[in-house]
Amino acid sequence: MSERQYLANAIRALSMDAVQKAKSGHPGAPMGMADIAEVLWRDYLKHNPHNPGWADRDRFVLSNGHGSMLIYSLLHLSGYDLSIEDIKQFRQLDSKTPGHPEYGYTPGIETTTGPLGQGLANAVGMALAEKVLAAQFNRDNHEIVDHHTYTFLGDGCLMEGISHEVCSLAGTLGLGKLIAFYDDNGISIDGEVEGWFTDDTAKRFESYGWHVINKVDGHDSAAITRAIDEARANDDKPTLIICKTVIGYGAPNKQGSESCHGAPLGDDEIVAARKQLNWPHQAFEVPADVYQKWSAVDKGAAVESSWNKRWVAYEQEYPQLAKELKRRLNGELPEGFENTVHNYAKQLQSSPEAVATRKASLNVLNEFGPKLPELLGGSADLAGSNLTLWNDAKGITADDASGNYVFYGVREFGMSAIMNGVTLHGGFKAYGATFLMFMEYARNAVRMSALMKQPSIFVYTHDSIGLGEDGPTHQPVEQLANLRQTPNLQCWRPCDQVETAVAWGAAVQSSKTPSALVFSRQGMQQQERNDDQLTNIARGGYVLKDSDGEPDVILIATGSEVDLAVNAFEQLTEEGHKVRVVSMPSTNVFDIQDAEYKESVLPSSVTRRVAVEAGIADFWYKYVGLNGEVVGMTTFGESAPAGDLYKHFGITTENTVAAAKRLLGA
């Protein structure tokens, strides 16, 4: 047995021991990919265990995240702050070693990889971010941004449709510093994949424009080394290295079968595996010489120190560029940006204009964009409808990545997961747009951004039945409720250009919360506000119209329906009723305000409440109570002009007035 095999066996032993102790997990992938990981991590990966966030580190993503003990073993062995006790706590409550790698739990984990294929998509985003950042900041003899993105993936990642979306785009954009290792072991949970996965993967990726290195023996260190050298020498195409491996390698009675995919090996098989692997050590025991040969601490410190010297030279020759790059990598906004948001909103308030909020969004981008060079935007083939292509937007291509806009094509899911990868990489504020209805394609990536606390900005237009003639396939009904009920997500549905500016400002200023900005196709009347109301927009909900004294009934609305509520207010007020209108552009933001403020907007003493929104009605009972009324949708839409649809579904001023009167007993 070679020294390399012996060192790789440390991964196998830790993996099978941790899974066995937890009584759950996936030992097969870590044992099968251990040899590949040993070569990559010990000979190529540029990283510093004592500074996991070093800016110019290589990124490593385990897309087949069920094999999490592979990366936990690698982090532990190479010297990260992940102890053997942490390894023993695999899959236990509050441990640093959860069942799937989770960003923020463990030093060295670059992204959360649970749903298959999304890690690969995140890796594409990281490679894209590296290429764009390098094009924007590198100068002759100063390649201050220069790192690779490596990702491991399995059959499941390639069967998921998102892999097609993102790998197609990666080839088009020429992401040459992206290197993917495909664990071609022929096994998934249900058994041998030849019964349901017979793609010619090599030809598939060649057609994407990737460099493909096929039929690499994943247990031959020399072959793996040659493949990585070849991949790194090719800088104009991403590379797929197809590695033939044996799942569960080293477990003599279970290797090569689904029995070692997603279940512990069992005590007897572990004894047999130790003998097979010539690993005569107790559970969780790693010899000192193995730790010494695995440690990347000294090497990592030296590599970072070398980069720091290059940074000093860069800073001396290009002080303004260095200052700007440092600001962006630190996630800091340009000085005074908060004032920019407030001043622009105030300017809009003093210059009333009735526009669709999607057009108002474009106006905001034209105002904020020149002040935010970190904006990296895009649209899923709907730029002309989403209105995301602002004046200074410059498309990114394989040959020129210095721009700030990605033409994602019809890839909603891929776009959203790539945005998460860009955000995780650092240096950018990523936004991407599609119709609200097509959030459904991307739903899991939106959820992952919230789970990881990454401030990606999801722009959704055509927000309701108000989009009209395209019909129920394109008219969102339940999507707003879905977004609002997602933990750690801020969903905004503004009613006019002023609220749109504030919503964009909140999204850009958010550091740990993704935002969904939901805009209309149809025009919106601008509402009158005083300075206090203007300030309170940022609190998610505020009193827009009010009565003298405590109101008898409160009308709550968002988006285009705010105008219906205001019209109802005027009619009811003329009839002598005391009415309040609350505009609530973001229920999520309103919900986290202090109790005193929420009580000032929705006093508990006023129980007569009506919500009006062209979305699913059930969501609003949390604000109006079981005895309140909701003027909203209870079915899917229809195909007709928007005005006809609002009347057909009863989302009108008249019905809002009628609902209020029923509550008032009038």
Side-chain angles (χ1 to χ4, degrees):
M1 178 173 57
S2 70
E3 180 179 84
R4 282 194 176 279
Q5 290 172 320
Y6 182 58
L7 295 176
N9 286 344
I11 297 172
R12 295 185 171 103
L14 286 173
S15 298
M16 65 185 184
D17 289 343
V19 171
Q20 187 66 26
K21 184 175 184 296
K23 295 183 174 59
S24 72
H26 298 74
M31 297 178 75
M33 298 193 79
D35 297 303
I36 306 167
E38 185 272 328
V39 173
L40 177 64
W41 275 64
R42 292 188 63 246
D43 291 357
Y44 294 94
L45 195 71
K46 183 174 68 171
H47 64 124
N48 183 359
H50 283 186
N51 185 12
W54 168 41
D56 202 45
R57 68 191 181 279
D58 288 340
R59 271 58 169 182
F60 176 80
V61 176
L62 184 70
S63 188
N64 45 345
H66 54 271
S68 56
M69 269 311 305
L70 173 62
I71 193 167
Y72 296 149
S73 300
L74 291 165
L75 293 169
H76 169 70
L77 292 167
S78 57
Y80 283 78
D81 182 18
L82 194 70
S83 69
I84 195 67
E85 292 304 314
D86 292 321
I87 297 294
K88 291 178 181 178
Q89 290 301 305
F90 178 57
R91 289 189 163 223
Q92 304 309 300
L93 184 64
D94 295 329
S95 77
K96 293 165 71 174
T97 50
H100 290 78
E102 293 189 40
Y103 178 82
Y105 280 66
T106 317
I109 298 296
E110 300 284 1
T111 181
T112 299
T113 52
L116 291 175
Q118 283 203 64
L120 172 58
N122 295 162
V124 171
M126 293 172 188
L128 172 63
E130 192 276 342
K131 181 167 183 169
V132 175
L133 208 63
Q136 292 178 350
F137 285 96
N138 286 353
R139 295 296 182 267
D140 289 343
N141 301 316
H142 290 281
E143 292 198 356
I144 205 67
V145 180
D146 183 18
H147 51 266
H148 284 81
T149 300
Y150 299 99
T151 181
F152 283 7
L153 55 112
D155 293 302
C157 296
L158 293 181
M159 282 188 263
E160 292 286 0
I162 192 173
S163 68
H164 166 76
E165 295 183 29
V166 301
C167 293
S168 169
L169 187 62
T172 298
L173 295 179
L175 303 183
K177 289 185 178 176
L178 173 63
I179 299 176
F181 296 80
Y182 167 31
D183 182 26
D184 185 14
N185 60 37
I187 297 293
S188 67
I189 291 174
D190 282 350
E192 296 182 5
V193 300
E194 63 183 14
W196 48 86
F197 184 55
T198 58
D199 300 13
D200 188 328
T201 300
K203 287 183 179 178
R204 171 184 165 189
F205 275 77
E206 286 169 0
S207 74
Y208 292 152
W210 285 53
H211 176 56
V212 177
I213 305 173
N214 201 0
K215 298 179 181 178
V216 175
D217 184 343
H219 303 297
D220 181 340
S221 299
I224 297 163
T225 297
R226 289 192 297 272
I228 296 174
D229 285 340
E230 182 181 336
R232 285 167 58 91
N234 187 317
D235 61 3
D236 61 344
K237 293 180 179 181
T239 297
L240 178 71
I241 302 175
I242 301 177
C243 300
K244 296 297 295 184
T245 65
V246 176
I247 191 171
Y249 183 91
N253 302 303
K254 293 189 175 183
Q255 67 179 22
S257 73
E258 67 273 16
S259 62
C260 63
H261 186 291
L265 295 180
D267 292 333
D268 291 344
E269 186 67 6
I270 286 178
V271 170
R274 277 186 154 74
K275 183 176 180 180
Q276 177 86 4
L277 296 170
N278 193 20
W279 187 262
H281 312 293
Q282 298 300 311
F284 301 105
E285 180 187 346
V286 178
D289 66 315
V290 173
Y291 278 125
Q292 181 181 9
K293 289 169 182 173
W294 261 107
S295 177
V297 172
D298 291 342
K299 181 180 177 182
V303 171
E304 182 179 354
S305 177
S306 174
W307 182 85
N308 287 337
K309 292 176 183 177
R310 289 189 284 122
W311 172 263
V312 170
Y314 179 77
E315 198 171 29
Q316 289 175 345
E317 188 164 351
Y318 300 101
Q320 291 305 313
L321 275 178
K323 181 180 179 182
E324 177 68 5
L325 178 56
K326 186 176 181 180
R327 175 187 73 79
R328 286 173 54 174
L329 290 174
N330 288 338
E332 300 168 356
L333 289 172
E335 188 175 349
F337 181 76
E338 186 175 352
N339 291 332
T340 296
V341 176
H342 179 75
N343 292 338
Y344 182 58
K346 195 167 185 178
Q347 173 191 328
L348 293 175
Q349 189 63 54
S350 64
S351 306
E353 186 178 358
V355 295
T357 49
R358 63 170 176 162
K359 178 61 166 65
S361 170
L362 177 60
N363 294 340
V364 172
L365 283 169
N366 282 321
E367 179 69 22
F368 292 175
K371 303 174 180 66
L372 292 170
E374 56 263 56
L375 275 184
L376 183 61
S379 173
D381 201 47
L382 288 169
S385 294
N386 299 147
L387 302 185
T388 48
L389 198 60
W390 57 288
N391 291 343
D392 292 339
K394 176 186 174 184
I396 291 165
T397 66
D399 298 326
D400 183 2
S402 63
N404 56 11
Y405 194 87
V406 182
F407 290 93
Y408 282 104
V410 187
R411 301 180 176 100
E412 296 88 356
F413 191 7
M415 172 184 72
S416 302
I418 287 171
M419 287 165 53
N420 290 340
V422 168
T423 304
L424 286 159
H425 177 279
F428 295 97
K429 286 283 182 180
Y431 72 89
T434 185
F435 289 171
L436 177 57
M437 187 67 248
F438 303 144
M439 178 276 293
E440 296 287 1
Y441 284 129
R443 169 65 189 147
N444 204 266
V446 177
R447 182 178 187 271
M448 295 300 286
S449 69
L451 184 66
M452 292 189 287
K453 300 179 181 177
Q454 292 302 298
S456 300
I457 302 173
F458 302 101
V459 177
Y460 300 121
T461 68
H462 296 61
D463 66 350
S464 68
I465 57 171
L467 73 87
E469 293 85 350
D470 277 335
T473 60
H474 284 54
Q475 292 166 5
V477 173
E478 71 275 26
Q479 284 66 38
L480 280 165
N482 188 316
L483 290 166
R484 289 168 177 154
Q485 291 174 330
T486 301
N488 197 50
L489 174 72
Q490 293 184 359
C491 178
W492 291 83
R493 187 181 183 234
C495 75
D496 61 13
Q497 61 174 350
V498 180
E499 287 189 357
T500 299
V502 174
W504 259 110
V508 170
Q509 292 174 87
S510 176
S511 60
K512 293 184 178 180
T513 305
S515 300
L517 305 181
V518 181
F519 301 129
S520 72
R521 177 194 185 195
Q522 67 273 26
M524 304 281 209
Q525 290 297 318
Q526 181 163 314
Q527 302 301 322
E528 296 179 359
R529 296 178 187 85
N530 58 35
D531 288 346
D532 287 341
Q533 291 169 320
L534 182 64
T535 299
N536 286 336
I537 294 172
R539 304 189 77 165
Y542 63 101
V543 178
L544 180 63
K545 298 289 183 182
D546 211 1
S547 59
D548 293 330
E550 185 172 272
D552 295 321
V553 65
I554 297 175
L555 310 180
I556 309 170
T558 79
S560 52
E561 289 75 66
V562 169
D563 198 49
L564 299 181
V566 169
N567 292 338
F569 165 86
E570 292 171 352
Q571 184 175 328
L572 289 163
T573 300
E574 286 179 5
E575 295 177 10
H577 301 291
K578 292 184 177 181
V579 185
R580 171 177 292 182
V581 175
V582 171
S583 177
M584 198 177 286
S586 178
T587 62
N588 311 95
V589 175
F590 179 76
D591 286 348
I592 62 174
Q593 301 305 305
D594 61 84
E596 183 180 0
Y597 179 74
K598 288 189 286 188
E599 178 69 15
S600 73
V601 176
L602 295 176
S604 54
S605 58
V606 183
T607 58
R608 299 183 183 94
R609 301 178 184 181
V610 179
V612 53
E613 184 179 62
I616 199 71
D618 284 354
F619 170 82
W620 286 100
Y621 286 102
K622 67 180 286 189
Y623 298 101
V624 303
L626 294 178
N627 295 321
E629 294 219 17
V630 180
V631 178
M633 298 291 293
T634 58
T635 68
F636 294 118
E638 296 285 353
S639 179
D644 294 344
L645 290 172
Y646 271 84
K647 292 176 183 177
H648 175 76
F649 290 107
I651 302 174
T652 62
T653 297
E654 292 76 16
N655 274 353
T656 305
V657 169
K661 286 184 175 181
R662 282 193 295 273
L663 294 177
L664 291 165

